[in-house]
Amino acid sequence: MKYILSCCLLTIILGLLLVDCSKKDDSPTPGTTTPPSSTTTSPPSSTAAAGSVAIVTTLAGNGAEGYVDATGSAARFKNPSALVCDLADNIYVVDLNNGRIRLVSPTGSVTTLAGSGAVGITDGTGTTASFYLAGGTYVSRDVAGNLLLSENSTTRAAIRKITPSGVVSTTAIVPIGIGTPLGFYGLAAATNGDIYISDGTAIRLFHASNLSIFAGGTRGYANGTLSATQFSNPDALAFDTDGNLYVGDANACVRKITPAGVVSLLAGQPGVLGTADGKGSAATFRNITSLVADKQGNLYVADNTLIRRVTPDGTVTTIAGSGTGYADGTGTTAKFSDIRSITIDSKGVLYVADLTNQAIRKIVIQQ
């Protein structure tokens, strides 16, 4: 009997030793690390930033093309390409191929604010106004709550203003050509009324009716002081609450310009395309089309079919989206087709212009 008990005890001890050895064999070799992937093009695995969940729904539109003022899925758009929230959390939407500015309430009620549907530059109120929306079109909101819209034709670049009551006027208009802007694209309005405009290779400043180069001017990639920097199609612009200006550069990265005029890399690898999450240059982007900042200083980035979050220290996390498609859901179970613009309301709710899905999508982030 003692012999049997001794054998059982010996067997248990040997088993525990083997389990412990197995655990040690599975651990990495001391002093080695696995670098993060910086060129991956597969959908990221994360569904939200740490401690939060992003819930995606459709606010208005349903994937069908058309022009119908209605509520929710009964409304129709024809390529909603740019959007921004007003002071009451209504959403201005540039309905590109309908040639109109639509207004979407927080409950999804869609109305036409301005535009006749005809192509042109006609100031006026409501449907008496007309827009030239064939070129790249971007929007911002000024401190008074007006919509600012960039327009481009083959001969001129313009900034139009639309008030909450639908009164349309032209704030600036300049010719396009040698020695003049290549076009007006991304817009960001500062709290002092200045307007910052992206222009192919430069960030321009519209101050007191005067247009000047604020940063850049030569195509390429370079950080440093304003005059020494280089950009490549820096279309997406956004301010945070501290007055830092962020730039979505076609170099596949997010740049930061401080109020002191210092330009640096916040996140991404210049010239490297991908969907890798990570910190700073460990992250990659594919196609940055829009930026918006929340009250905590986080940036949200429209990146092709993904919504990415960038914290103030440059940590990038994919919070919603995966491959191309149309699906509501949580985190990466949701799908977008062609994200052109993103905005945020006073409560921190995100809205997305999903161009070819003909819809305005809504993202609620739950902590």
Side-chain angles (χ1 to χ4, degrees):
M1 184 68 177
K2 290 181 180 179
Y3 174 79
I4 294 173
L5 289 173
S6 297
C7 289
C8 290
L9 182 60
L10 180 61
T11 301
I12 292 171
I13 292 171
L14 287 172
L16 291 172
L17 288 172
L18 288 172
V19 169
D20 185 61
C21 289
S22 175
K23 289 181 179 178
K24 290 178 181 178
D25 289 341
D26 289 339
S27 61
T29 303
T32 64
T33 59
T34 302
S37 172
S38 61
T39 57
T40 178
T41 56
S42 60
S45 59
S46 60
T47 59
S52 64
V53 175
I55 301 171
V56 180
T57 57
T58 299
L59 178 66
N62 74 345
E65 184 181 283
Y67 171 61
V68 178
D69 283 342
T71 299
S73 60
R76 296 289 182 272
F77 300 93
K78 196 171 184 180
N79 300 127
S81 66
L83 47 76
V84 68
C85 286
D86 69 9
L87 296 173
D89 289 343
N90 298 299
I91 308 152
Y92 292 109
V93 179
V94 177
D95 196 359
L96 191 67
N97 290 336
N98 278 323
R100 294 174 170 93
I101 308 300
R102 315 284 290 280
L103 192 66
V104 185
S105 75
T107 58
S109 176
V110 181
T111 55
T112 297
L113 178 67
S116 63
V119 176
I121 308 177
T122 305
D123 291 341
T125 300
T127 56
T128 66
S130 63
F131 301 94
Y132 193 102
L133 303 178
T137 301
Y138 297 80
V139 294
S140 184
R141 190 193 76 198
D142 66 16
V143 291
N146 302 302
L147 173 72
L148 299 176
L149 167 72
S150 63
E151 286 186 330
N152 297 290
S153 72
T154 56
T155 59
R156 61 97 186 115
I159 299 173
R160 311 289 296 283
K161 181 172 76 173
I162 302 98
T163 70
S165 60
V167 178
V168 180
S169 59
T170 301
T171 299
I173 187 165
V174 298
I176 293 176
I178 302 300
T180 58
L182 301 175
F184 288 162
Y185 297 98
L187 299 174
T191 55
N192 66 353
D194 289 344
I195 304 171
Y196 292 79
I197 310 160
S198 61
D199 170 29
T201 62
I203 310 297
R204 292 182 180 265
L205 172 62
F206 187 70
H207 170 75
S209 300
N210 294 315
L211 187 67
S212 61
I213 292 180
F214 172 70
T218 302
R219 191 175 302 278
Y221 177 83
N223 293 317
T225 59
L226 295 176
S227 59
T229 56
Q230 295 179 345
F231 299 92
S232 179
N233 296 331
D235 291 342
L237 301 177
F239 277 105
D240 67 11
T241 55
D242 293 327
N244 298 299
L245 178 61
Y246 295 92
V247 180
D249 196 326
N251 283 309
C253 56
V254 178
R255 317 275 290 278
K256 178 181 178 180
I257 306 177
T258 68
V262 178
V263 181
S264 61
L265 174 70
L266 178 66
Q269 292 187 42
V272 178
L273 303 181
T275 60
D277 288 339
K279 186 174 181 179
S281 61
T284 53
F285 298 93
R286 184 176 293 168
N287 181 27
I288 300 171
T289 56
S290 184
L291 300 173
V292 68
D294 66 15
K295 295 176 181 178
Q296 291 72 45
N298 300 302
L299 281 181
Y300 292 91
V301 181
D303 184 20
N304 200 38
T305 61
L306 307 177
I307 303 297
R308 323 282 296 275
R309 176 155 67 182
V310 186
T311 61
D313 70 351
T315 300
V316 180
T317 308
T318 300
I319 68 165
S322 53
T324 302
Y326 182 27
D328 291 332
T330 301
T332 55
T333 65
K335 291 184 182 294
F336 304 91
S337 178
D338 186 356
I339 301 172
R340 289 298 178 90
S341 185
I342 185 172
T343 190
I344 191 167
D345 70 10
S346 63
K347 303 176 184 64
V349 176
L350 299 171
Y351 298 94
V352 176
D354 196 354
L355 184 87
T356 52
N357 278 328
Q358 313 298 343
I360 306 303
R361 315 290 292 280
K362 177 180 180 179
I363 304 176
V364 176
I365 300 174
Q366 294 185 348
Q367 300 297 330

